[in-house]
Amino acid sequence: MTMTMDPVATRVADVVAPFVADLGLELYDVEHVGGVLRIVVDTPTGLVDADDPSRPKGVSIDAIALLTRLLSREFDHAAPLPGRYTLEVTSPGLERGLRLPRHYAREVGKRVSVRLRAPVDGVRRVQGTLVAAGDASCTVRDEETLADREIDYAQVDRARTIFEWGPAPRPGHRSTKGARAS
């Protein structure tokens, strides 16, 4: 797990940041893996969906398309990395990968799943609520034991948020939304 961006990703982030900010978005992550340059953008923390204020606002497909066009044009001129690559502009999605300390800090209070590189006290996977995040470690309240477990980022193999779906409709009950009266 990389806790800092590599020099290429840092150079790309410097070029990308003004375009992302102009669209009212935040740069979530930049990854250069193999031949893919992935730019991940998100809405600022705290914005809510106008149709459902209980949900955070997401990035529109129109914003992704516009940013892709703007960056493609800029990269043709600025050439922030050598060689051939495929540009991918995306949002982090419902279940977000956590790679950098700022990713963890942004998701405090949410459910997470963390896989460790090697077992610690016989445990390799931890699921629970992310209760704190610092520069070198995070704290997860384990769902099974309800104990707070401090995890050094260096121990993390992979981590992501867990999207919680709403309750399923009860069997035998139809939704009245959009139903017509007979």
Side-chain angles (χ1 to χ4, degrees):
M1 172 172 202
T2 306
M3 291 314 298
T4 59
M5 288 196 287
D6 66 59
V8 170
T10 301
R11 190 169 53 249
V12 169
D14 290 342
V15 172
V16 168
F19 291 93
V20 173
D22 284 349
L23 293 176
L25 300 172
E26 289 183 353
L27 183 58
Y28 188 82
D29 205 357
V30 175
E31 293 180 281
H32 183 230
V33 180
V36 177
L37 175 61
R38 183 171 299 114
I39 311 293
V40 184
V41 296
D42 202 1
T43 54
T45 304
L47 291 182
V48 295
D49 187 311
D51 295 329
D52 183 357
S54 68
R55 294 175 27 153
K57 182 176 181 174
V59 180
S60 74
I61 192 73
D62 292 337
I64 296 281
L66 175 59
L67 185 58
T68 301
R69 285 192 304 275
L70 293 171
L71 293 179
S72 291
R73 192 173 308 137
E74 181 64 19
F75 288 176
D76 286 346
H77 299 295
L81 64 144
R84 298 177 56 107
Y85 59 89
T86 300
L87 175 63
E88 179 181 300
V89 179
T90 186
S91 71
L94 294 175
E95 293 193 341
R96 299 153 183 257
L98 306 173
R99 287 188 331 111
L100 304 170
R102 64 184 165 86
H103 295 160
Y104 289 85
R106 182 181 172 123
E107 304 302 334
V108 168
K110 296 187 180 168
R111 286 186 64 222
V112 296
S113 174
V114 180
R115 183 175 72 193
L116 304 175
R117 293 182 186 277
V120 175
D121 298 329
V123 176
R124 181 139 189 238
R125 294 182 187 271
V126 178
Q127 274 195 356
T129 302
L130 181 61
V131 294
D135 291 336
S137 66
C138 66
T139 304
V140 176
R141 182 160 295 135
D142 190 302
E143 285 179 347
E144 291 184 21
T145 65
L146 298 180
D148 287 353
R149 181 181 287 269
E150 185 170 349
I151 301 170
D152 290 335
Y153 296 133
Q155 297 173 314
V156 176
D157 179 43
R158 177 175 289 160
R160 65 175 172 79
T161 61
I162 301 172
F163 180 73
E164 296 186 45
W165 295 94
R170 293 185 297 176
H173 291 277
R174 290 190 322 179
S175 171
T176 58
K177 193 175 190 179
R180 293 189 303 170
S182 320

